[in-house]
Each structure stands twice: as structure tokens, then as C-alpha cells.
């Protein structure tokens, strides 16, 4: 594995996001909705830097995939979502890859009539976008490589690495089944 972003670089990037978010929503209550499970490490760091009246909620996204790297059928569980009607919502996810997850989440949350929905991600992969929507806040743009650490997993492992590392193609093997993203 090759280290892409050190813990210090990540901390700087997350602090930059927090600054933009606090400025853009200044004085307004905000509901941050984390996309489980990849969001948890970044979310814990981010929310402590955002000085706003803040609520937290969660959605769980799972996809069935034929291999570990190719996205499949997406299912979304919104049981852990608070009432977002008429609230400003910020979705937080680990990475924007094809964008299919974010698009689906925005479409589903929109039906609950929030005042607004924006999105923040730690990483955006270059040249992978398949949808018209883009994340509103991005800490880092990275090349098209499979990455792990700081919340991001490979087969549910490596989320606890304090840095972000890229897998070499030879390290990737395909597995089938449901995968929590
Ligand atoms: P999407 O293609 O933008 O819908 O991304 C779906 C999800 O796939 C992301 O939220 C991540 O959980 C996961 N994902 C995409 N690329 C990577 C990666 O390089 N490493 C780990 N997870 C990834
Ligand atoms: Mg994820």
C-alpha cells in the first residue's frame, strides 16, 4: 500500500471544510447526516470544528457487488434519520466515486422536504463521475485509485488507519456479497 494522505494533511483538509461550512451556514441550525459506515472517522473530526447549532443523523447505504471495487445494487436504510422537514441538511460521505450513492441519497432525502440539501466528502476521485450532481464541499481530489483508511474500507477492513493509502492492483481480489459502504 502507498500512503496518499498523512494524518496531518487530512486534519488540515477537514479543518478547511469545517471553516467553509461554518461560514456558509453562519448562525443557522444544521442537520448533518452521515452516510454509514465510511463517514464515521471524518464526521467525528469535522463536527467538533463546526461551531453551529448542530443535529446529527445517519443513513446506511449498502451495495451488492460482484467484486469489491465495482458498485452494484444500492439499498438505503433511513431508519436512523431524524425529522429533516424544513431543515438545512448536509450529507457527509467518505468519497465521491461515480456519484451514484450521493445522487440516490439526495433523491430520497428530497422527498422528506428539507429546506436545503448539500453534501461534503473527504475525497473526490478524478474522472469517475457518472451523474450530474457534484459534492458541494470536497477536501481532496485524488487520482482514480482504490483507497483505504480514515473510514474507507476494503472488504470492511482498514477503516481504522489514521491515514489514507492506495491499494496496488495486485492487492485487490474480488469477493461477492452485500457490502456496507
Ligand atoms: P459512488 O460510486 O460515488 O456511489 O461511491 C460509492 C461508495 O463506494 C462510496 O461511498 C465508498 O463507500 C465506496 N468507495 C468508492 N471508491 C472507494 C475506494 O477507493 N475505497 C473505498 N471505498 C470506496
Ligand atoms: Mg461510503
Amino acid at each position: 500500500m502507498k500512503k496518499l494522505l498523512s494524518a496531518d494533511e487530512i486534519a488540515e483538509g477537514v479543518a478547511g471544510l469545517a471553516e467553509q461550512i461554518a461560514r456558509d451556514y453562519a448562525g443557522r441550525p444544521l442537520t448533518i447526516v452521515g452516510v454509514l459506515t465510511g463517514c464515521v472517522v471524518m464526521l467525528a473530526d469535522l463536527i467538533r470544528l463546526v461551531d453551529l447549532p448542530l443535529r446529527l443523523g445517519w443513513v446506511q447505504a449498502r451495495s451488492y457487488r460482484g467484486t469489491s471495487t465495482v458498485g452494484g445494487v444500492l439499498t438505503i436504510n433511513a431508519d436512523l434519520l431524524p425529522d429533516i422537514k424544513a431543515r438545512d441538511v448536509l450529507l457527509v460521505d467518505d468519497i465521491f466515486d461515480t456519484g451514484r450513492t450521493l445522487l440516490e441519497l439526495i433523491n430520497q432525502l428530497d422527498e422528506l422536504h428539507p429546506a436545503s440539501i448539500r453534501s461534503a466528502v473527504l475525497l473526490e476521485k478524478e474522472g469517475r463521475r457518472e451523474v450530474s450532481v457534484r459534492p458541494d464541499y470536497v477536501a481532496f481530489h485524488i487520482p482514480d485509485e482504490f483507497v483505504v483508511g480514515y473510514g474507507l474500507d476494503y472488504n470492511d477492513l482498514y477503516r481504522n488507519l489514521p491515514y489514507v493509502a492506495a491499494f496496488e492492483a495486485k492487492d485487490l481480489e474480488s469477493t461477492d456479497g452485500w457490502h456496507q459502504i
Side-chain angles (χ1 to χ4, degrees):
M1 279 200 277
K2 172 178 86 202
K3 199 187 266 195
L4 265 193
L5 295 167
S6 71
D8 285 347
E9 288 170 320
I10 295 169
E12 229 174 87
V14 172
L17 285 188
E19 230 172 80
Q20 290 177 54
I21 292 164
R23 192 175 55 227
D24 291 354
Y25 290 92
R28 283 150 65 194
L30 180 63
T31 302
I32 288 194
V33 174
V35 183
L36 293 171
T37 302
C39 74
V40 294
V41 183
M42 171 185 174
L43 198 107
D45 285 341
L46 180 75
I47 58 173
R48 285 176 289 174
L49 300 173
V50 176
D51 186 14
L52 292 173
L54 203 97
R55 291 183 176 84
L56 269 188
W58 313 94
V59 287
Q60 182 189 37
R62 292 199 313 164
S63 77
Y64 189 88
R65 51 182 82 182
T67 76
S68 304
T69 53
V70 180
V73 185
L74 184 70
T75 64
I76 288 167
N77 175 355
D79 289 351
L80 299 173
L81 199 66
D83 187 8
I84 59 166
K85 190 173 175 174
R87 297 207 196 282
D88 290 314
V89 171
L90 180 67
L91 274 164
V92 174
D93 202 358
D94 49 7
I95 189 166
F96 184 96
D97 183 19
T98 65
R100 296 196 170 280
T101 306
L102 190 65
L103 178 67
E104 184 59 32
L105 283 166
I106 290 173
N107 287 341
Q108 290 206 15
L109 295 192
D110 234 356
E111 289 172 18
L112 303 171
H113 307 292
S116 68
I117 304 186
R118 286 187 193 166
S119 58
V121 294
L122 180 74
L123 308 173
E124 179 174 2
K125 262 191 220 179
E126 293 298 349
R128 293 273 302 165
R129 191 161 59 90
E130 293 176 8
V131 299
S132 55
V133 56
R134 283 210 54 229
D136 300 282
Y137 304 95
V138 179
F140 300 98
H141 290 88
I142 61 165
D144 180 11
E145 290 185 90
F146 193 81
V147 290
V148 295
Y150 198 72
L152 291 133
D153 76 299
Y154 170 64
N155 289 346
D156 298 322
L157 290 171
Y158 305 108
R159 294 195 197 273
N160 56 323
L161 289 179
Y163 52 86
V164 170
F167 255 69
E168 315 285 335
K170 64 175 168 44
D171 299 328
L172 293 166
E173 49 179 68
S174 37
T175 53
D176 298 331
W178 283 101
H179 179 76
Q180 193 166 310
I181 62 177

